[in-house]
Amino acid sequence: MSAAAARYGNLPRPPRFERVEEARLHAKQRLAAGFRIFSRFGLDEGVAGHITVRDPEHPTTFWTNPFGVHFSQIKVSNLIRVDEEGQVVEGDAICNAAAFAIHSRIHKARPDVMAAAHSHGVYGRAWSTLGRPLQPITQDSCAFWNDHAVYDDFGGVVVELDEGDRIARALGNNKAAILQNHGLLTVGASVDEAVWWYVAMERCCQVQLMAEAAGTPKVISDASAAQAYSVTGTAQAGWFQFQPLYARIVKEQPDLLD
């Protein structure tokens, strides 16, 4: 651990729960908040987009948004749970076929991934058309240094499991992927982490698009990028950055907890 990272060793940590019911409620509250945050940041586009979180008791199933409900109206009580066959086993709504095709394959390939997020943000979509990874041109983009991939095999709307498998392979062990001609995908050990990485990566795409439109950005050296990553790019950093967003959205929109 670097000296800089060690200074943050006493920050709050993700909670642990003795009862599965407590863990499930916590995950669903974070998930509902994640959708509200996406809407708050303009990361909603019609019915496109999905965030998922594994169920703590039945880890081959995941909770996600009811298809066709606007992100700004999602609450804990209308989330749905989907099994490994794509069937809704809890909740009264249908599942987005693309959510199942992508997320089920990622959850299967990555046992460490508890949550995954994908939407159609404007800047992520724009950057994805270039088919290039982000460069470490700012301190914030160093959070993704050597920790994101590019999936360059766009095959139309993702409704088939084989394309979900290809996306999962392209993602590898990284925390994020740029889906060419499509958008961004982020994962994490919690909803908190996955949602934060998505918001942060969308902003990094915006910054790099603006910087390249103005000129040729200076790229941060590998040594400096590695140091910044050790502070800003860890799972703990991702989880912690989400906490103020959660507090704000719950205060502004407490009905999400219903």
Side-chain angles (χ1 to χ4, degrees), residues 115 140 156:
D140 303 285

Side-chain angles (χ1 to χ4, degrees), residues 2 11-12 26 48 94 101 116 121 138 144 154 161-162 217 240:
S2 70
L11 291 176
H26 178 84
I94 62 174
T138 68
F144 300 97
F154 178 72
L161 293 181
D162 61 343
F240 186 66

Side-chain angles (χ1 to χ4, degrees), residues 172-208:
N173 292 322
N174 298 295
K175 66 160 159 276
I178 296 166
L179 312 182
Q180 189 165 7
N181 304 108
H182 190 172
L184 308 178
L185 171 76
T186 58
V187 300
S190 63
V191 173
D192 311 51
E193 187 186 345
V195 169
W196 170 255
W197 294 138
Y198 193 97
V199 170
M201 196 175 198
E202 175 78 9
R203 292 284 185 86
C204 288
C205 290
Q206 180 182 6
V207 169
Q208 186 148 0

Side-chain angles (χ1 to χ4, degrees), residues 44 106 112:
D44 41 24
I106 290 171
D112 61 307

Side-chain angles (χ1 to χ4, degrees), residues 3 18 35 53 71 84-85 114 123 148 151 178 181 185 196 204 210 251:
E18 294 184 1
F35 288 112
V53 62
F71 285 3
E84 59 267 43
E85 303 299 326
M114 295 303 294
Y123 299 105
H148 70 291
Y151 173 69
I178 296 166
N181 304 108
L185 171 76
W196 170 255
C204 288
M210 295 173 66
K251 182 177 181 179

Side-chain angles (χ1 to χ4, degrees), residues 9 19 32 34 58 108 111 139 160 172 200 203 236 241 251 253:
R19 300 174 60 245
H58 308 287
K108 182 177 181 179
Q139 175 176 295
E160 302 296 337
R203 292 284 185 86
Q236 163 66 8
Q241 294 261 44
K251 182 177 181 179
Q253 303 175 29

